[in-house]
Amino acid sequence: MKTQTEEYYQVLNNIENSLPEMAIETAEALLEETFQIKPVRLKWYLVKAQVMLKKGTPVEEIIEFLSDKCAPWYDYDNVNEYFEMLSELSKYKGDILESERYRYKENKMNLYFHGGEDKNHAMDAERKKLVLEMEKQEEWQQEQIERLRDLYYMSGNIYLYLLWQTVINRLSDAEAPVHEWILKKFNVGYYYERLLSDIEETFVVMASNEAEEKECQLIARALKSLKKQAIVFSAPVLWEEGEDIKDAVLKSVESIAQKEDYMTATVYYLEAPEGRRDSKKELLEYVERSYSPSGVVMILGSGILLDQTAMDNRMKPKFERLTDVEADYMEENMAVARYGDYLAYISNIYLTSKEEVKKDLYKKPTCRFSIIIPCRNAGNTLYYTLKTCLNQSFQGEYEIVISDNSDRAWGADTPTYQICQKLNDSRIKYYRAPRDLSLMKNFEYGYLKAEGEFLLSMGADDGILPWALEELDSILAECPQRPVWLWHEAFYKWAEVDNNIMEGSGKAVLNVENTYQKGSPNIFQYATKGIFQNAFTQYAYMYYLPQIYHNSGIRREYLATLYEKTGVLWAGISQDMCMAVTVANVEQELGFIDNLLTITGISNASIGANCRSGNTDLEQETMEKKMQKTFSQGWHVQGYMERLFPIIGTEFAGLYACIMYAFSIGVISEQVLEEADAKVMYEKIIRENDKKNILFDSILHRIRYAVSLQGEELLEWFDNNFYYQCLIPESVKKEDMNRSKEEYNESIVINNQMIGAEKGSIKDVYEVSLFLEKFFAKENRNGESV
C-alpha cells in the first residue's frame, strides 16, 4: 500500500510524464488541484516550471520563480533535479557559464555528501594550471584573464570572478557588466566598491594551505593592478622555537616583506593546552595600524578559513565575515571579510570619514529629546505618526529626526520628504540616507544624526502618546544616572493591512494590555538576566527587554557606551531584537516606567511584519526577495555557529539568530549557549511554521540541515518528532487559504475587554493617541476612576 507521500509524488510524476501531449490548461488545472495539498514540495515547483516553459513564459521569470523554492545546502528529494533544471534553463537562454555553474554546484554537493567520481576535476585542474602559469608571468594575456574569470564563475567562486572582471574592465578601459544577481547578495556592493575605489584600499589575502598560496599570490597581483595594497598571509606554519606565542607573533611581524607587486607575511601557530593559537590577530592589527589609512582591512580567504578566524574570541568584534554562505560544500571558495574599527567600516557605508562618524557619536546634545523615525518608501501613515510626535504636552525643546532610506530612484523628492514639507515644522529634521541602507544601518544613521539628550525611535506607522515626553522629562530628572528606560506600548493594526500580513483586512484594532493613569507612573528597576533567560522559551518576555525601538530609549551618551562595550552599534540581523539581546547582556539592571508611552503600529509598510508573514499565495513576494530590497548594505552575515539557527522570518528563529549574533561579537558567553536546550529551541522554531506557507518545504530542510550540524543524536530526535510528520501531505480547502476580506467595525481592546468604537473613530494613530489621552485621564466622562 502506497504512503500518502508516494501517492503525492505519483500524481506529480504523472503530470510531468504527460506534459508533451497534455494541453496547458489541463496541466495547470491539475497543478492547481495539487497545490491545495500541503506542504507544497519542491517537485511541484519543478513541474510548474516545466508547464511555464511550455506556455512560453520567459526563462528569466521561471528562474526567478524557482530561486527561493529550494534549500540546496544538502541533498534531499529532487535537489539534483532542481540544479539540472536551472542548468537547462540557463542553457536555453544562452548563458552557458551560468548553466555550468549549476552543474558544478550539483556535482560538488553530490561529491561532498555521497563521494564517488569527481565530475568537476577537469574544470578544477584547468583553473589550477592557469593560475600557476599566470603567477609566473610578468604580463598576462587578455585571453588568459578572461578564461580564468569564466572558470571562477563556473566554479561558483563569484568574489574572485568579480575581482578579475574588474581587472578586465580596468585594463580595457571598459565597463562590461557583471551578473546582477551577484551584486544583490549581502554586502557584495561594499566589496565591489572597495575594488573600484580610487582610494588605496588595503587587502589581506589568506592562504588555507600551501597549495593555495600560489593562487593567493596571483590574487594579490590582481589587486595591485587595481592600485590596492595587497598582503598575502601564508598558510599557518608550526612555531618550533619555544612555547611563547609572543615570540611567534614578533617573528610574524618581522616576516612582513615587500615583493615586486605585493607584500607577504608568515603566520605561525603553536599547540597549547587551551587549543591552537596563531599570530593572525596580531598580524591583522599591525596591518591595520601600519598599512591601512582608512582603518579597515579587506580580507579574502576561503569561507572555511574566515569562519574559523571569526570563531577566535580574540578577533571579536573587529573581524567580520561580510559575504554569505552558498552552502558548506562550497566553502573552499573565497569569501570576503573585514577587519578593523567599526566606525571606520560604517564611514564607508555612509560615504563619509571615520572622524565625522566619531564626531556624531560623541557630540554634545542640543535639545532634550530626539524622536528618531527611520523610513523607507513611507506611505501616508508617516503623516499621522508625525502628528503624534508634534502633539506633545512637553514644553521644552525636542526634535523629530527623519532618516529617509527611500529607493534611490525617487531622487531627492521622495514621498517622505513631501510629507515633511507638508507639515512644515522646524522640529522635523530631515536627512536623506547617503545610499540604499539595510534597515539596521538606517536606524544607526538616524541615531548618529540625533542631537537630543534622550533618544527614542519608532517606525513610520507608529505613534507616541501626548504625555510621553513630559513624563519622560520628569523621570529623567528624578533618575539622572540610569541610561536605559523601558515602558509599556499599545498595539495598533491599521485597517489597510493586507490579509497576507495579518488577518482582518478593513479592521482597525487597538490593543492595550492594561489601564493606566497618566501623570503618575510607577518606576522601578529589574535585573535583565532572568528576563533574558525566560525569553528563550516565552517570546513575550522580549517586550520587557530594551529594543531601543518602540518600547525603550537611551540617554545620548549610551551610544558611546554601547560602542565601547561591544565594539559595534546597530550591526546585527534585526534592528530591535539584536539590540534587546545585546543591551540585556551588557546591562545588569534596567529602568522600567509602568505607563503607556508609545503605540506600535502594523501596516502594509511594516518591514518586520512583512518579513515574518508566511506566503500562502504564489503571487506574494517572498521573504527572501523582501530582504534583498532592504538588507543589502551593512547586513550581518551568519558565521558557522550562527548558522545553527537559520533566519527564516519567524519570531523564535529571529530571536535565536540574534542570540547567536550577540555570541559572535562576544556579548554572550559560551556558557549561556551550553545551558540552553537545543531541542526546546528547534521545537519552538518548527512549531512556528505553517504548512500552508509556500516556502515550507525549503524552510523545513533549512532547519533540518542546521539540526544535522549538531550531531546524529539531535538529528534523529528531530526526524522522529517533527521532520517525517511535517512532510505528510494534507489537503487544505481553497476557501481556508483565502482569508476573509469582510469589512469589520473598528474595535478597541483594553485589559482584554472590548470597549467598542464608532466606525472611523480610530482610523489612524493620531486619533488613537487623542482617544487614549481622554481615556487615560484621571477620570473618564462618567466621573468614574479608570
Side-chain angles (χ1 to χ4, degrees):
M1 182 176 177
K2 290 184 178 179
T3 65
Q4 292 164 281
T5 301
E6 288 172 334
E7 290 177 353
Y8 175 81
Y9 276 128
Q10 183 175 338
V11 170
L12 293 174
N13 287 329
N14 289 341
I15 298 173
E16 182 179 42
N17 294 333
S18 302
L19 269 181
E21 300 81 27
M22 187 182 293
I24 290 174
E25 294 76 12
T26 304
E28 288 183 322
L30 289 171
L31 279 175
E32 175 62 27
E33 185 178 332
T34 316
F35 185 74
Q36 309 312 317
I37 301 173
K38 307 300 176 184
V40 181
R41 302 299 304 277
L42 176 58
K43 179 68 177 181
W44 188 92
Y45 294 110
L46 295 172
V47 177
K48 174 72 172 177
Q50 294 178 62
V51 173
M52 293 169 72
L53 186 63
K54 181 175 180 178
K55 192 176 180 180
T57 305
V59 172
E60 290 80 4
E61 286 186 28
I62 302 174
I63 292 174
E64 178 73 7
F65 169 75
L66 290 173
S67 63
D68 48 14
K69 305 304 190 298
C70 178
W73 282 268
Y74 68 117
D75 184 16
Y76 63 91
D77 290 353
N78 302 114
V79 174
N80 278 283
E81 188 179 340
Y82 168 81
F83 280 129
E84 289 163 10
M85 177 166 287
L86 288 173
S87 177
E88 288 302 311
L89 288 170
S90 300
K91 187 184 296 183
Y92 185 85
K93 69 173 185 175
D95 193 339
I96 303 303
L97 295 181
E98 184 76 340
S99 176
E100 289 299 317
R101 186 176 71 87
Y102 285 121
R103 290 287 184 188
Y104 185 97
K105 193 171 181 179
E106 179 189 7
N107 295 337
K108 195 83 172 178
M109 180 188 70
N110 289 328
L111 184 66
Y112 186 86
F113 288 104
H114 308 298
E117 180 187 358
D118 182 2
K119 296 181 180 180
N120 294 327
H121 175 73
M123 186 185 298
D124 290 340
E126 182 186 358
R127 187 181 71 248
K128 290 174 184 177
K129 181 181 178 182
L130 187 54
V131 165
L132 291 175
E133 289 176 359
M134 292 177 63
E135 201 279 326
K136 294 175 183 177
Q137 297 169 353
E138 290 186 11
E139 293 187 9
W140 306 314
Q141 298 175 13
Q142 182 83 5
E143 296 80 7
Q144 288 178 311
I145 304 175
E146 291 176 355
R147 182 57 181 166
L148 185 61
R149 172 203 61 189
D150 293 347
L151 287 168
Y152 277 130
Y153 186 87
M154 289 186 289
S155 62
N157 222 322
I158 55 177
Y159 309 116
L160 293 189
Y161 151 79
L162 206 54
L163 168 63
W164 286 104
Q165 181 61 62
T166 308
V167 171
I168 291 170
N169 287 346
R170 182 67 60 90
L171 292 177
S172 61
D173 198 26
E175 286 298 328
V178 299
H179 288 261
E180 188 177 348
W181 70 268
I182 296 177
L183 296 179
K184 288 181 179 179
K185 291 177 70 65
F186 296 139
N187 299 322
V188 173
Y190 182 87
Y191 164 62
Y192 194 39
E193 276 186 7
R194 308 279 72 73
L195 294 178
L196 295 173
S197 171
D198 292 329
I199 301 171
E200 187 178 338
E201 306 280 353
T202 303
F203 280 75
V204 165
V205 188
M206 292 184 178
S208 299
N209 49 59
E210 288 186 25
E212 205 174 75
E213 287 187 4
K214 291 294 184 184
E215 183 175 39
C216 291
Q217 290 164 9
L218 185 63
I219 292 168
R221 288 182 60 190
L223 290 165
K224 186 64 177 178
S225 75
L226 298 175
K227 304 186 185 311
K228 310 303 173 190
Q229 176 76 269
I231 305 173
V232 176
F233 281 15
S234 73
V237 176
L238 178 63
W239 179 253
E240 297 178 328
E241 299 181 26
E243 298 181 357
D244 193 340
I245 188 65
K246 293 180 182 178
D247 294 334
V249 167
L250 181 61
K251 194 68 172 179
S252 276
V253 172
E254 291 175 350
S255 75
I256 296 177
Q258 180 69 54
K259 301 290 185 182
E260 186 175 343
D261 294 319
Y262 56 90
M263 302 173 73
T264 60
T266 304
V267 176
Y268 290 102
Y269 76 92
L270 55 84
E271 301 290 354
E274 64 274 14
R276 180 189 252 199
R277 292 281 304 276
D278 66 37
S279 57
K280 279 203 294 289
K281 177 185 181 295
E282 290 79 7
L283 266 179
L284 284 171
E285 280 185 342
Y286 184 80
V287 170
E288 175 199 4
R289 187 170 60 251
S290 304
Y291 297 104
S292 178
S294 70
V296 181
V297 179
M298 296 298 294
I299 300 170
L300 285 166
S302 73
I304 297 171
L305 180 58
L306 296 190
D307 277 353
Q308 290 172 345
T309 305
M311 289 172 69
D312 183 343
N313 287 330
R314 299 177 309 134
M315 290 286 186
K316 299 174 181 179
K318 296 182 77 172
F319 185 98
E320 180 184 11
R321 177 172 175 161
L322 295 179
T323 53
D324 211 349
V325 179
E326 289 284 308
D328 286 344
Y329 54 84
M330 297 293 288
E331 283 289 83
E332 291 179 353
N333 282 345
M334 287 285 179
V336 183
R338 60 100 184 165
Y339 182 87
D341 184 80
Y342 181 74
L343 300 186
Y345 167 57
I346 62 175
S347 72
N348 288 332
I349 292 177
Y350 300 142
L351 303 177
T352 184
S353 66
K354 177 183 174 181
E355 290 70 30
E356 287 300 313
V357 173
K358 195 170 183 179
K359 187 187 298 183
D360 278 341
L361 181 62
Y362 289 99
K363 66 189 171 190
K364 299 295 183 183
T366 61
C367 58
R368 184 59 162 164
F369 294 102
S370 292
I371 303 172
I372 301 155
I373 307 178
C375 304
R376 183 174 179 85
N377 303 336
N380 290 330
T381 60
L382 175 63
Y383 176 78
Y384 301 104
T385 294
L386 285 171
K387 286 184 71 175
T388 71
C389 297
L390 296 170
N391 182 43
Q392 290 293 305
S393 59
F394 175 67
Q395 297 300 306
E397 292 188 2
Y398 70 97
E399 64 175 1
I400 305 159
V401 175
I402 302 295
S403 181
D404 185 4
N405 189 34
S406 297
D407 286 334
R408 307 312 292 179
W410 282 106
D413 192 24
T414 69
T416 299
Y417 178 75
Q418 292 173 11
I419 290 170
C420 293
Q421 289 293 101
K422 179 180 178 180
L423 287 166
N424 191 26
D425 193 294
S426 61
R427 289 170 291 181
I428 299 175
K429 306 294 176 61
Y430 175 88
Y431 296 93
R432 182 74 163 105
R435 65 160 90 239
D436 282 329
L437 300 174
S438 71
L439 179 58
M440 292 74 70
K441 286 292 171 280
N442 196 29
F443 266 78
E444 183 176 74
Y445 185 72
Y447 268 87
L448 286 169
K449 291 300 179 187
E451 297 186 352
E453 292 178 46
F454 190 82
L455 315 177
L456 60 155
S457 65
M458 61 183 65
D461 51 9
D462 302 332
I464 182 168
L465 276 301
W467 60 83
L469 295 187
E470 185 178 2
E471 291 203 353
L472 277 170
D473 183 52
S474 62
I475 291 167
L476 293 173
E478 184 180 340
C479 306
Q481 302 304 316
R482 181 132 332 256
V484 183
W485 284 97
L486 291 85
W487 51 78
H488 292 290
E489 56 189 322
F491 291 88
Y492 177 65
K493 185 187 81 65
W494 291 74
E496 66 180 28
V497 171
D498 193 282
N499 271 332
N500 290 324
I501 298 174
M502 182 175 285
E503 290 190 46
S505 180
K507 180 181 182 182
V509 178
L510 170 66
N511 195 308
V512 185
E513 291 187 357
N514 298 289
T515 52
Y516 302 91
Q517 188 176 73
K518 74 169 189 173
S520 57
N522 294 318
I523 59 174
F524 53 89
Q525 287 77 43
Y526 65 89
T528 58
K529 185 177 181 181
I531 300 293
F532 172 67
Q533 289 175 330
N534 287 334
F536 269 84
T537 55
Q538 301 174 69
Y539 190 82
Y541 278 89
M542 278 297 297
Y543 296 105
Y544 291 91
L545 293 178
Q547 299 173 23
I548 320 301
Y549 179 40
H550 292 314
N551 73 338
S552 51
I554 57 174
R555 292 184 184 269
R556 176 160 218 351
E557 59 267 24
Y558 191 72
L559 279 180
T561 301
L562 198 60
Y563 165 68
E564 289 157 10
K565 287 188 175 183
T566 69
V568 295
L569 293 169
W570 275 259
I573 59 169
S574 165
Q575 80 284 358
D576 46 13
M577 281 192 290
C578 274
M579 273 300 183
V581 171
T582 298
V583 176
N585 283 275
V586 168
E587 298 299 314
Q588 295 184 349
E589 194 175 73
L590 297 168
F592 197 90
I593 303 167
D594 192 16
N595 205 351
L596 182 70
L597 299 185
T598 51
I599 303 167
T600 297
I602 299 173
S603 71
N604 287 333
S606 298
I607 293 175
N610 269 275
C611 287
R612 284 196 296 269
S613 61
N615 294 70
T616 58
D617 186 339
L618 285 175
E619 301 305 315
Q620 280 180 257
E621 190 174 44
T622 62
M623 185 191 76
E624 282 79 359
K625 292 183 176 65
K626 294 168 189 170
M627 289 173 65
Q628 280 183 346
K629 290 182 178 180
T630 57
F631 292 92
S632 57
Q633 284 278 24
W635 175 256
H636 174 75
V637 169
Q638 291 184 294
Y640 180 80
M641 286 290 291
E642 296 172 77
R643 295 198 293 276
L644 298 178
F645 294 98
I647 303 168
I648 52 176
T650 57
E651 287 185 335
F652 274 107
L655 170 60
Y656 298 146
C658 290
I659 289 171
M660 298 307 291
Y661 154 75
F663 170 76
S664 76
I665 63 171
V667 172
I668 291 179
S669 67
E670 290 186 21
Q671 182 182 355
V672 172
L673 300 184
E674 290 169 357
E675 290 175 355
D677 189 332
K679 289 183 178 180
V680 172
M681 296 167 79
Y682 283 117
E683 181 174 354
K684 290 287 184 184
I685 291 174
I686 198 67
R687 290 195 185 281
E688 281 187 298
N689 286 282
D690 187 344
K691 280 187 176 183
K692 294 190 292 292
N693 187 340
I694 61 172
L695 298 180
F696 182 85
D697 185 62
S698 173
I699 288 170
L700 176 65
H701 287 96
R702 289 183 66 181
I703 297 171
R704 184 175 186 267
Y705 184 60
V707 172
S708 75
L709 298 176
Q710 301 213 46
E712 290 295 326
E713 182 180 342
L714 193 65
L715 180 62
E716 183 179 359
W717 164 83
F718 182 81
D719 285 349
N720 292 336
N721 287 276
F722 300 105
Y723 178 68
Y724 299 121
Q725 181 180 353
C726 285
L727 290 177
I728 297 174
E730 296 179 30
S731 294
V732 179
K733 294 180 181 179
K734 191 167 185 178
E735 53 266 29
D736 294 335
M737 296 287 294
N738 296 323
R739 294 164 177 159
S740 173
K741 300 289 184 180
E742 178 185 352
E743 289 286 329
Y744 295 91
N745 287 330
E746 287 89 340
S747 62
I748 298 175
V749 182
I750 296 182
N751 203 18
N752 296 321
Q753 292 186 3
M754 299 284 292
I755 65 172
E758 294 297 323
K759 177 77 172 173
S761 65
I762 55 168
K763 66 181 179 181
D764 58 57
V765 291
Y766 177 61
E767 291 197 13
V768 168
S769 69
L770 297 180
F771 169 83
L772 290 175
E773 183 177 31
K774 294 176 182 178
F775 191 85
F776 292 138
K778 291 185 179 180
E779 292 186 346
N780 65 18
R781 282 172 288 183
N782 297 323
E784 299 170 352
S785 177
V786 175

